[in-house]
mmCIF file of all heavy atoms in Angstrom:
data_model
loop_
_atom_site.group_PDB
_atom_site.id
_atom_site.type_symbol
_atom_site.label_atom_id
_atom_site.label_comp_id
_atom_site.label_asym_id
_atom_site.label_seq_id
_atom_site.Cartn_x
_atom_site.Cartn_y
_atom_site.Cartn_z
ATOM 1 N N PRO A 36 111.958 128.449 95.242
ATOM 2 C CA PRO A 36 110.988 129.055 96.235
ATOM 3 C C PRO A 36 109.636 129.318 95.608
ATOM 4 O O PRO A 36 108.535 129.103 96.322
ATOM 5 C CB PRO A 36 111.680 130.334 96.666
ATOM 6 C CG PRO A 36 113.133 130.004 96.411
ATOM 7 C CD PRO A 36 113.166 129.121 95.287
ATOM 8 N N GLU A 37 109.662 129.742 94.278
ATOM 9 C CA GLU A 37 108.377 130.028 93.561
ATOM 10 C C GLU A 37 107.524 128.781 93.448
ATOM 11 O O GLU A 37 106.303 128.845 93.525
ATOM 12 C CB GLU A 37 108.706 130.750 92.120
ATOM 13 C CG GLU A 37 109.346 132.015 92.309
ATOM 14 C CD GLU A 37 110.905 131.955 92.614
ATOM 15 O OE1 GLU A 37 111.508 130.839 92.450
ATOM 16 O OE2 GLU A 37 111.436 132.994 93.059
ATOM 17 N N GLY A 38 108.156 127.784 93.043
ATOM 18 C CA GLY A 38 107.406 126.414 92.861
ATOM 19 C C GLY A 38 106.868 125.972 94.201
ATOM 20 O O GLY A 38 105.715 125.437 94.239
ATOM 21 N N LEU A 39 107.679 126.154 95.302
ATOM 22 C CA LEU A 39 107.037 125.788 96.568
ATOM 23 C C LEU A 39 105.850 126.660 97.015
ATOM 24 O O LEU A 39 104.817 126.133 97.460
ATOM 25 C CB LEU A 39 108.100 125.948 97.621
ATOM 26 C CG LEU A 39 109.249 124.803 97.654
ATOM 27 C CD1 LEU A 39 110.538 125.323 98.412
ATOM 28 C CD2 LEU A 39 108.578 123.472 98.186
ATOM 29 N N ARG A 40 106.023 127.940 96.785
ATOM 30 C CA ARG A 40 104.966 128.785 97.211
ATOM 31 C C ARG A 40 103.664 128.652 96.323
ATOM 32 O O ARG A 40 102.511 128.580 96.863
ATOM 33 C CB ARG A 40 105.424 130.342 96.969
ATOM 34 C CG ARG A 40 104.475 131.437 97.483
ATOM 35 C CD ARG A 40 104.897 132.778 97.462
ATOM 36 N NE ARG A 40 106.194 132.961 98.063
ATOM 37 C CZ ARG A 40 107.448 133.126 97.424
ATOM 38 N NH1 ARG A 40 107.430 133.202 96.094
ATOM 39 N NH2 ARG A 40 108.492 133.331 98.093
ATOM 40 N N GLU A 41 103.830 128.204 95.131
ATOM 41 C CA GLU A 41 102.675 127.896 94.258
ATOM 42 C C GLU A 41 101.933 126.645 94.764
ATOM 43 O O GLU A 41 100.740 126.631 94.797
ATOM 44 C CB GLU A 41 103.202 127.731 92.809
ATOM 45 C CG GLU A 41 102.053 127.371 91.865
ATOM 46 C CD GLU A 41 102.579 127.244 90.382
ATOM 47 O OE1 GLU A 41 103.372 128.050 89.940
ATOM 48 O OE2 GLU A 41 102.242 126.131 89.805
ATOM 49 N N MET A 42 102.736 125.632 95.285
ATOM 50 C CA MET A 42 102.168 124.496 95.770
ATOM 51 C C MET A 42 101.512 124.744 97.136
ATOM 52 O O MET A 42 100.392 124.153 97.267
ATOM 53 C CB MET A 42 103.206 123.382 96.193
ATOM 54 C CG MET A 42 103.641 122.452 94.960
ATOM 55 S SD MET A 42 102.228 121.523 94.538
ATOM 56 C CE MET A 42 102.300 121.267 92.859
ATOM 57 N N LEU A 43 102.074 125.578 97.885
ATOM 58 C CA LEU A 43 101.438 125.855 99.171
ATOM 59 C C LEU A 43 99.935 126.546 99.094
ATOM 60 O O LEU A 43 99.300 126.595 99.974
ATOM 61 C CB LEU A 43 102.480 126.689 100.053
ATOM 62 C CG LEU A 43 103.695 126.208 100.516
ATOM 63 C CD1 LEU A 43 104.389 127.077 101.324
ATOM 64 C CD2 LEU A 43 103.493 124.805 101.121
ATOM 65 N N THR A 44 99.789 127.229 97.931
ATOM 66 C CA THR A 44 98.532 128.010 97.768
ATOM 67 C C THR A 44 97.613 127.262 96.732
ATOM 68 O O THR A 44 96.448 127.770 96.537
ATOM 69 C CB THR A 44 98.812 129.370 97.281
ATOM 70 O OG1 THR A 44 99.519 129.342 96.083
ATOM 71 C CG2 THR A 44 99.667 130.135 98.293
ATOM 72 N N ALA A 45 97.989 126.048 96.253
ATOM 73 C CA ALA A 45 97.092 125.405 95.178
ATOM 74 C C ALA A 45 95.972 124.716 95.872
ATOM 75 O O ALA A 45 96.002 124.322 96.998
ATOM 76 C CB ALA A 45 98.013 124.464 94.467
#
Side-chain angles (χ1 to χ4, degrees):
E37 297 77 22
L39 286 163
R40 190 175 301 106
E41 185 178 312
M42 273 294 152
L43 297 182
T44 58

